[in-house]
Each structure stands twice: as structure tokens, then as C-alpha cells.
Amino acid sequence: MNTNGTGVESLELIVVVAVGVLAMGWLSRRTGLSEPLLLLGAGCLAGLTPPFAGFALSPEVVLFLFLPALLYWEALTSSVREIRNNVRSIALQATGLVLATAVAVAAVAHALGYNWPIAFVLGAVLAPTDAAAVAVAAVAKAMPRRILTVLRAESLLNDGTALVLLAVTIEVVTDERPFSWSGTALAFVESYVGGIVIGAAIALLLIAVRRRLPAPLLHSALSVATPFLAYLPAELLHVSGVLAVVTCGLVTTRFGPGVIGSDARIQAIAFWEVASYLLNGALFILVGIQLPAAVRALTSVSLAQAAIAACVVSVAVIGTRLLWFYSVPYLVRFLDRRPQQRDRRITAPQRLPLAWAGMRGAISLAAALTVPAVTAEGHVVEQRDAVVFITAVVIVVTLTFLGPTLPTVVRRARFPEDEVKTAELTLARCHMSSAALRALPELAQRFGVPEAATLRMAQDIEDRMAPAPGSTRRRESVRRLELALLQVKRDTLRDLRDTGRIDDIVLRTVQEVLDVEEVRLGRKAHDAAAEASQDDPARS
């Protein structure tokens, strides 16, 4: 397969990746095996076949297509308040831990015989965790909101730190200039501040645009374009596109509910859920396809030497994260003894999932591939092939070792139930219901609703505020009945179409109404399950 690719070859790749994502997703759900590992394995098998022997993963595709989309969806589904409440922990992990990991990996690589510039390049490449780590998402429901927010925010922001560090180290390698601490610090500040400013400005501009968009479809289309509209100007101005996308997503999360309608929101959420799943899976398959090529391209050192180095570096990556989480938080705890901080402390077993969620992924491989093969003077960058190989092996090791064991680590941490979230859910439902009951008489009169129907609506709202014994079960029975009746309607609709009494356009028009009703009933089931879990903590 030509690395440049023709139209047909690109289509072949898309089909192979799409089929691989679907097949491995199905197999994972049937067998319980780790989905990332299955995807990597499938990609590796594809990479061993002749059509993909010459395939080269384009770092531009990962950094300019996959990364903005994935970061934007993660930011949209994050809690701005929880990020603000945990900003110190997140900042330490997204900057301090990234730098500590880069230094540790560089020191190990240098001890193994790699020169300092290329060793720091390797450190910058392997410093960030993977924002698309499916293994973290798989156990998300078992983690408290605070712990999950810290992990997600770290993976959102540490890419920006690592990519800035990588850019500085690549300049040192390719331009053969001495390293400057002042220059590096200035580059970090410019990149961070510039990315945040651009991201916030783009978000506010697009929110103003959304106020004037007339159709839900246009809102959804703008949602798809938003991450790239934030990423591109930041990259053109040589500041952090990662932080621009994340900031844009967080600002949109804050102000979006006031300007985005329900139809547009349903469309956008459905799109991003499917797109993020496909993009995550595609990245793992593409990394797997690249693994045989990384082995074949290894020429500067022997395969055995590179494998040993990769194993030692893997230990350094995992060990640095473990050491960080069992040293730095305790130092902060010693320095900050405020009562509100003491209330937020977690136990050592509960800290382990944070330390264990250190999987590396496609972003690291894409970063390794951005390292130029020659310097500005035309000299070959020595050991670049080893950097790519070691990076690929570390990705496999962390996904193989950390990913499948993370659910067990989370279970053994025995996190308490998130009582704050439960209380806030109850508060939200009660206040919404009270406001609805107060407004009901006036609205019913305005719209001419009969008194009997108004009373039924009021009774239903009151039942949801303070459910009587057995009311949740009764509502569930009614919901099942309504779903069964919907199915009868669908069967009748299809029979009318099949016998030629109505055409497909009429079928789709009526079917759309039935679909909306089914979505409504599905939400009622979700609410009922939430109420039941609050009433019976043993089920939650």
C-alpha cells in the first residue's frame, strides 16, 4: 500500500479500520476482553499483510483531525465547577507530572546510551497520558465525580504541555542549538496563555453566532466544525491548539445550554458519541498497523537492545507516575493544612486508580513521528527510529498491563458513594418540579387545557417529587405498556407501506414522531432507574 495513498487506497484503509472497530467492539462485548488491546491486535495483524506493509501513520492526521475532535467532546462532557474546585491537582498533574515524566524517561534513555537531546525528545513524547484511553471510560461509573474529573482534565491538558516541550526539544535536535531554560519557560507561558485566550474568544464568538442560527441542523454542523475552528488559528499563531480546543469546549459547556435548543443538542450529542467511539477505535487500529513498520524501520540499534530499552522506559513511565501520586500529594498535604483541604483528602488505596490510569496512546506515537529525520544542516537525526519503536512498545505495555487491571484497582479502592451528586440530583428535581407546579395553573389557562388534564399533570409532578411506595414500579409498568403500543404502531405502519397504501416518505414522517416518543420513554426509564438507585443504595 502506497504511503501517499490514492483515492482507492484511502478507501481501503477507511473500510478496514471501520470493520476492525466494529468487529473488535463486538468481540470485546462478547468475550469481556480489553477493547483497546483487541483493536491494537487487529491493527497489528493488518500491518503484517502486504497491502499495508508500506503504510505510515501521518502525524498531521492525528494531531489536526483526531486530536481536536476528541478533546472537544471530552471538554463538552466535563464539569467546569469540578475542574475549578480541583484546579491545583489538575495543574500539578498536567504540568509537573508531565515534566517529571519527561525528565525521568530522558535520564533512563541517556543511561542506556542515547544522547541528551534525543533522550529528552523521547521523554516529551511519552510524558502525556492518552485522552482517548478507553480503559478509563470503561470504569468511569465506578469512580467518584471528583476523581474522574481530575483524570479527564489531566488527559485534556497534559497534551498541551507535552507538545510544547516536544517542540522545544525538536528545535534543539534539528537546529543543533543549546537548550535554554528561559526560552523554554517563555514558550510555555506564551503557548498556554495564547491557547486559552484564543479558545475563549472563539467560543464566545460562536455562541453569538448560535443565537442567530435558525435551524437545529446548522447548530449541529457548527458543533462539528467548532474544535477545528478553535485549533487552527491557535496553531497558525504557534500557541497551544490543545488548550484552545479545551477552553472552547469548557466555555461552550458553560454558556451553551442558554443558546442551543433541545433538537440541536440531541443531534450533536448523538453525533459526538458515535464519532468519538469511531475515532478512538480507529486510533488504536492505526497504531497497531504502524507497529510492524516500527520494527522494520529499526536500524540504529539491534531489536534486542531496543526491546530492552523499551521495557526499562516502560518501567520508568509507570514508576514515575506511581511515585508522583504517593509523594507530591503528601507534600502538598503537609504544606496546606486548611480544614477544607483536609476534608478533600483521599486514602492511599483510593489514590491508586489515579496513579494506575497512565495509559499512553496514539498521541504519543504521532508525536514521535513528527521528529524530523534530518537536522537543519542536513545531518541525520540519530536514533529517531529507536524513539518511534520505544514509543510503540510503551503504548502496548501500558495498555496491556494497566488497562485490563484498572477495573480491579478501582473496585479495591472501595470509593464511597458520591453523596454530593445524589443530593444535587434530588435538589435539581425538587426545584424544577416546584417551579413547574407554581407555573402550571397559569400556563394551563393560557393554553386552554381542561382542568382534569391539568390535575393529572400536577399529580404526576407531585409523584416525582415525593414518590409513594410502589409508584416507581407502577410508572415503569406504564412505560413498558406505552413502548409495546409504540411497537404495534410501528408494525402497522410498516404493513401499510409494504401493501402500498402509503409510501416511504409518509412512513418516515410518521416514524420520526414515533422515534421522538420512544426517546422520551427512554428518558423516563433513565429517571426511574436514578430514583430507584437513590431509594435503594445497595443497587447503585
Side-chain angles (χ1 to χ4, degrees):
M1 183 174 187
N2 193 321
T3 54
N4 295 326
T6 65
V8 174
E9 291 166 339
S10 299
L11 181 60
E12 288 175 357
L13 179 62
I14 292 172
V15 170
V16 168
V17 169
V19 171
V21 171
L22 295 175
M24 294 304 104
W26 174 84
L27 184 60
S28 174
R29 283 153 181 77
R30 289 296 299 268
T31 62
L33 297 175
S34 169
E35 190 168 348
L37 291 181
L38 290 174
L39 292 167
L40 275 174
C44 188
L45 289 176
L48 292 172
T49 61
F52 291 92
F55 172 79
L57 178 62
S58 171
E60 289 78 15
V61 170
V62 176
L63 297 178
F64 293 100
L65 177 62
F66 285 78
L67 185 60
L70 292 172
L71 290 176
Y72 184 66
W73 173 240
E74 286 292 320
L76 283 181
T77 54
S78 297
S79 167
V80 177
R81 188 191 70 179
E82 288 299 309
I83 290 177
R84 185 172 60 247
N85 291 342
N86 296 280
V87 65
R88 183 174 65 187
S89 298
I90 294 168
L92 283 173
Q93 290 166 220
T95 55
L97 180 54
V98 167
L99 296 175
T101 303
V103 171
V105 170
V108 168
H110 182 66
L112 292 171
Y114 294 79
N115 60 63
W116 276 116
I118 204 69
F120 269 106
V121 166
L122 180 62
V125 163
L126 292 173
T129 54
D130 187 12
V134 179
V136 174
V139 294
K141 293 181 180 179
M143 290 187 182
R145 180 173 43 172
R146 177 192 169 197
I147 301 298
L148 182 60
T149 298
V150 170
L151 280 176
R152 294 176 68 180
E154 176 200 358
S155 66
L156 284 172
L157 299 175
N158 62 16
D159 288 332
T161 305
L163 291 177
V164 173
L165 181 61
L166 178 63
V168 172
T169 55
I170 286 178
E171 285 185 2
V172 174
V173 170
T174 57
D175 293 345
E176 299 178 339
R177 294 184 305 183
F179 177 79
S180 168
W181 283 108
S182 60
T184 302
L186 181 60
F188 270 104
V189 173
E190 289 178 348
S191 182
Y192 265 71
V193 174
I196 292 172
V197 170
I198 290 175
I202 294 294
L204 294 175
L205 175 62
L206 295 182
I207 287 171
V209 171
R210 284 183 181 276
R211 296 183 189 276
R212 293 163 176 79
L213 289 181
L217 190 60
L218 295 178
H219 278 276
S220 300
L222 182 58
S223 177
V224 176
T226 296
F228 308 103
L229 293 174
Y231 193 86
L232 182 59
E235 288 296 315
L236 291 176
L237 294 174
H238 303 292
V239 297
S240 177
V242 169
L243 283 173
V245 172
V246 172
T247 303
C248 184
L250 294 177
V251 173
T252 302
T253 296
R254 186 69 177 176
F255 296 102
V259 296
I260 302 174
S262 58
D263 289 346
R265 189 158 43 246
I266 290 172
Q267 287 179 356
I269 289 175
F271 167 81
W272 281 115
E273 285 179 344
V274 174
S276 64
Y277 175 75
L278 290 175
L279 290 176
N280 281 330
L283 277 177
F284 284 114
I285 287 185
L286 291 174
V287 170
I289 293 176
Q290 190 68 40
L291 291 179
V295 175
R296 289 192 295 268
L298 189 64
T299 57
S300 63
V301 294
S302 68
L303 179 61
Q305 290 176 320
I308 293 173
C311 292
V312 175
V313 169
S314 298
V315 172
V317 168
I318 297 172
T320 300
R321 188 173 179 88
L322 286 168
L323 180 62
W324 175 277
F325 278 100
Y326 284 96
S327 60
V328 174
Y330 293 99
L331 176 61
V332 173
R333 178 182 298 185
F334 175 77
L335 297 174
D336 188 351
R337 296 179 175 273
R338 291 177 295 169
Q340 62 266 36
Q341 292 301 319
R342 287 200 295 268
D343 294 338
R344 297 169 61 81
R345 292 173 182 172
I346 59 177
T347 64
Q350 292 170 353
R351 194 175 299 283
L352 186 57
L354 283 165
W356 212 253
M359 286 72 71
R360 269 56 179 176
I363 305 304
S364 290
L365 184 58
L369 293 172
T370 62
V371 180
V374 295
T375 68
E377 301 296 327
H379 301 141
V380 175
V381 176
E382 297 180 0
Q383 301 169 318
R384 176 190 180 275
D385 55 341
V387 168
V388 176
F389 175 85
I390 292 172
T391 300
V393 173
V394 171
I395 292 171
V396 174
V397 169
T398 56
L399 287 173
T400 304
F401 178 60
L402 299 178
T405 56
L406 182 58
T408 302
V409 171
V410 173
R411 285 195 299 270
R412 291 184 176 179
R414 299 185 181 278
F415 287 111
E417 184 182 355
D418 194 344
E419 297 178 354
V420 175
K421 181 180 179 181
T422 302
E424 290 179 0
L425 284 171
T426 302
L427 175 68
R429 292 193 177 101
C430 288
H431 277 250
M432 288 190 302
S433 298
S434 297
L437 284 173
R438 290 193 301 269
L440 182 59
E442 179 185 346
L443 293 175
Q445 184 178 5
R446 180 192 305 174
F447 296 113
V449 178
E451 183 179 357
T454 303
L455 290 176
R456 284 197 301 271
M457 292 183 65
Q459 185 62 51
D460 185 64
I461 294 172
E462 290 174 351
D463 287 344
R464 292 180 179 277
M465 288 180 64
S471 63
T472 301
R473 190 174 303 169
R474 285 196 300 273
R475 286 203 301 272
E476 175 62 15
S477 299
V478 172
R479 187 190 69 85
R480 290 179 179 176
L481 173 61
E482 291 176 324
L483 282 173
L485 291 174
L486 273 179
Q487 188 58 47
V488 171
K489 293 178 181 179
R490 291 183 188 280
D491 293 340
T492 303
L493 187 64
R494 285 197 299 272
D495 288 341
L496 290 171
R497 191 274 311 273
D498 294 343
T499 56
R501 299 175 66 182
I502 64 173
D503 73 352
D504 291 294
I505 295 176
V506 173
L507 179 140
R508 285 193 293 270
T509 302
V510 179
Q511 186 174 258
E512 184 177 340
V513 176
L514 298 179
D515 289 343
V516 171
E517 180 65 11
E518 188 169 347
V519 169
R520 182 185 69 83
L521 292 172
R523 288 176 177 171
K524 289 173 65 176
H526 181 272
D527 292 342
E531 291 176 5
S533 66
Q534 292 178 36
D535 296 337
D536 184 6
R539 294 176 57 187
S540 61

